[in-house]
Structures are given as structure tokens and as C-alpha cells.
Amino acid sequence: MTGDGRDTPVQERTFAALPPARGRGFAETWWGRAWLKALEDTALDGQQLKQGRRFAREGRVGALSVRPGRITALVRDRDSSAYRSDVLLQELSEADWERFLDMAAARAGYIAALLDHEMPPHLVEDAAAAGMELLPGIGDLDPECACGTWDHCPHTAALCYQVARLLDEDPFVLLLVRGRGERRLLDELQERVAARAEGRAPSGSAVSCDGPGASAEKAKDRGVRADEAFAARDILPPLPAPPPLPAEPGPAPSLDTETEPEPGVDPSVLELLARDGAARAHRMLADALSPGHEQQPPPPGLTPQQDAVRLVADARPEPWIATRLAVGSGRSRAGLDAAVRAWQYGGAAALAVLDEEWTPDPQTLARARAGLAAAWEEGEQPRLRSAGNRWTAVDGSVQLRYGRDGRWWPYRKESGRWVPAGPADDDPAAALGGPSGSDD
């Protein structure tokens, strides 16, 4: 159990026997070489080291058990007799680990390097400056062997050479021997990173002398660096699953109270805006939860005039509110009705076709004419006269408008006004044959 009452994870790892290491060195990383230097500077008998190196190259070291303070393996002699061999290394104290964890959590690069199974030199140097020696020095690798030799014998030397190969691949082996396994270490780092993000002290750590609230205020002022958050991505808990989409938008609050509203404030208009905001939020959430949403570009923003049309189309306000919106957007009431119909057929793109008359350049005009020529069989094309981007039937009953996106929009005349008659289509004949245009 830890001091805070939590169960301590099982801190032991077993590694299968490594294959023979003929034709290669035992340490390629700087921390693996530091391990071997501690061995070679400590051993008194160079011949024993040579023989141990030979045993390791020949694959005579069995499965390795690594736990805090001790590494164990069976090492076979050349006569096939096996000896249990141990190498002991002093564990760091709890106070040392607290300092180490605080130091590692404070530097994004340290966390990122450890997660990449690298031992950053500055981490070792900073730890040493704080009185914590991560790598062993002279005399730190204490041998024990069933063969009875008091110094490093060939068996413990072979074990140390194989450990150097493990350290090359995974520096967490060294940290486990010093007292913290990978899972427990990452859990404690995760707690500290989360505590830094929330501006609180991690459980079990000492509160600074500035007082319990000082660290929170400092963290709030400082915030969390982006590189720290990115480096901690693999040790932070996963994000919770997104909430399910509600079946419908939430109800708008009622503003019908006994208190008179402020001058110029109309509660019914505010209620309309609240309902509209809830409906838009519901649609945005549905879009955000749909597959592939992150690949879609953000929708373009609307002008106040466009948003007034959208509001009438979506919220269907009372006539007097629609009239105010028409005036505010610079339209007549009939013009607003036509704009709402355009919005319902194609949103902002359809609204632009309603409001804008433009003259295509020669290339665009040629494409439009080619599309018209290909849309009908010979002799079936209606007689159209062109003006800018608009082609109107000679009898004045229907009109095609060419959008800047290359699509055709059908229009029909109602009460002397051209109004949208259907959605856009790449084919002008199909556009005219839509639901509203088919009656002509």
C-alpha cells in the first residue's frame, strides 16, 4: 500500500532470455554505457569481467526478473551448472521520488523523452543536482551469486552486460530498479500534470510555504503550456465519450414575468432568439457528432442581412416580427418572402443568386451556353433570351439563373416578381423540370 491508502501496483517485470550477442556491443545508448562503466569501474578482476562478457555473448543468461532494488537471473556455466545471480542497486527514497516526479512533470521534454523510451541527459543531471542519482556509480552495483564469489564473478558480470542491452531498449528498467515501475510512474506523472492543469497540489505532495492557495493562483495565472499538454497526451486519461444527441433542442426560457421589461426590450423577440439559438446549437451538435465532421471546412459567416433571412426561414416568427426583420434587412415584405424561399432551396448560395445580377466573362459564358445546348434534344430547347447571368423564356413564364458555382437555379414569375422555383442543378433542363417548374 502507498502512504495515501491506494494499492501499489505489482512492481516486477520478467524479460525472456536474450539471444546471443555475437558481433555487437552491449550498450549503444549513453545510459546503457553508463551502466557498464559502473560495473567495469567497480569490478576488481578484469578476467572475471571478460569471462562474464563471453557468457553474455553466448546467451548463457536466462530470463531476467527486475524489481525495485534487485535484478535476478540464472546464469549457466560452461559445464551447464546454473547459478542464481543477483545485482542490487539502492532504491530512491519516497522523498527523492517526490522531487523527481515534480521535476519531470514540470518539463514537457522529460515526459516526451521517457514516453519515447529515452533517458534525457538533462533529466539525469537535474536529478543529480537535486541529490538523486539515477544512474549507478562506482560501487553501486552490488553483486550476489550462488557461486560464492564476493566480488563480481562471471555470472553477475554476464547479468550486468545483459541488463545494459535491456536498458538500451527501455530506460524504465533502470527506474524500476530504483523503485518505480513504468505504470506506477506514469500514473503519478499523470496526476501531477492534471494537478498542474487544475492549479492544485497533487495528492501526497507537500504544500509550498506560500500557503495552500498560492500554487493554485500561480497555476491559474500561468496556465498550461501547449507543449506540456502535447507531451502529456499519452499519460493523461482518455477523453470521455461524447454525450448522446438530444432528441430535440431544449425549451427556451419563458420571459413572461410580473416585472415590466426595460424600454425598447420586447420579451417575445428575446424568446424567439432563445428558441433559435437552441435550435442552432442542436444542429451544430448533430454536425459535430457526425462521422467525418473534422474533415469539413467551417461554414462561412453570415451578414446581418443574410442572418435575418435565415431567422425568418428557420424560426417562422409572428408576422409583425418578420416585418421588422424585413425593414432591418433592407427588404420589402414581399422581398423577404422571396428571400426566405431562396434560403429554403439553397441557403446563402441561393440568396446570392436571388440578389445578385452579374455578367459572366467570355469563358464562363461559353461554358453556360454549352451547358444549355447540351441539356435538350434538338428542337426541344425552350426559346430563351439572355441578360447577364439570367436566361428568360420568351413567353416570360420561367427563368434560369446561372450561379457563380456553375449551377442553374430555376425562377418563375409571381405577382410580377421573379421568385425561386426550386433547388439548383448542374443540368439546366433538370432545374426547369423541378417540382415547381414542372407545372409550366
Side-chain angles (χ1 to χ4, degrees), residues 300-303 306 310 342-355 407 409:
L302 300 179
T303 66
Q306 291 172 325
R310 180 208 60 79
W343 183 273
Q344 292 169 336
Y345 283 133
L351 196 57
V353 171
L354 171 72
D355 292 336
R407 295 185 298 166
W409 298 81

Side-chain angles (χ1 to χ4, degrees), residues 42-46 48 141 143-145 147-154 156-157:
T42 300
L44 301 178
D45 190 337
Q48 302 271 49
L141 298 178
E144 289 183 359
C145 187
C147 73
T149 304
W150 64 273
D151 187 24
H152 276 288
C153 63
T156 59

